[in-house]
Amino acid sequence: MRVGIGYDSHRFTEGRKLTLGGVNIPFNKGLAGHSDGDVLCHAIIDSILGALGEGDIGLHFPDTDAAWKDASSIMLLTKIVELARKRGFELVWIDTVIIAESPKIASYTASMKEVISHSGISPSIISIKAKT
């Protein structure tokens, strides 16, 4: 069994949608980033890559590559889940914490689990906690 840890943070910026766990959350700002800035998916990606010993998200999806500009982080996560499976690994638990004073996101966590499951991760093994 291998365990990986992932972490990500982006600053808020004007003129972008706020996307967490693939869900657009109504807010007056979004997260800066080369892709869609989805820090929840990015942290999950980094945790899987860490368990695989495969570096981090920037190694696989560099911000210098126009192919990943504004890319859906659910699509990026799907590629990494596929990589794990090709290597013979099975994901058994994803435990996450989102820390943000605003907006309040606890009411979106069930939707996030559902959308994240489109990457090939069963919603029954995903835990999303929202903290302020």
Side-chain angles (χ1 to χ4, degrees):
M1 176 188 285
R2 294 184 181 197
V3 176
I5 297 172
Y7 169 85
D8 199 23
S9 67
H10 292 234
R11 63 181 163 72
F12 280 112
T13 189
E14 301 287 339
R16 287 190 57 119
K17 292 179 184 177
L18 177 58
T19 303
L20 294 172
V23 175
N24 289 327
I25 297 173
F27 196 57
N28 61 341
K29 295 180 182 178
L31 295 171
H34 186 67
S35 66
D36 60 9
D38 187 335
V39 294
L40 179 58
C41 286
H42 296 179
I44 295 170
I45 289 168
D46 271 352
S47 69
I48 296 169
L49 289 171
L52 295 174
E54 286 289 336
D56 66 13
I57 190 171
L59 180 66
H60 293 263
F61 308 108
D63 63 7
T64 55
D65 188 338
W68 311 122
K69 178 72 175 143
D70 297 322
S72 159
S73 292
I74 294 294
M75 183 266 300
L76 303 180
L77 179 57
T78 300
K79 290 181 177 295
I80 298 305
V81 169
E82 290 170 357
L83 174 66
R85 291 207 171 108
K86 284 180 189 172
R87 299 274 169 83
F89 290 93
E90 175 187 354
L91 302 178
V92 295
W93 191 249
I94 303 287
D95 190 27
T96 67
V97 180
I98 302 169
I99 303 170
E101 287 188 27
S102 60
K104 301 287 187 194
I105 56 172
S107 64
Y108 297 96
T109 59
S111 296
M112 291 176 195
K113 286 174 66 167
E114 174 60 30
V115 175
I116 289 170
S117 75
H118 298 166
S119 71
I121 301 172
S122 171
S124 67
I125 68 163
I126 301 169
S127 170
I128 302 172
K129 298 175 293 293
K131 303 291 181 183
T132 55

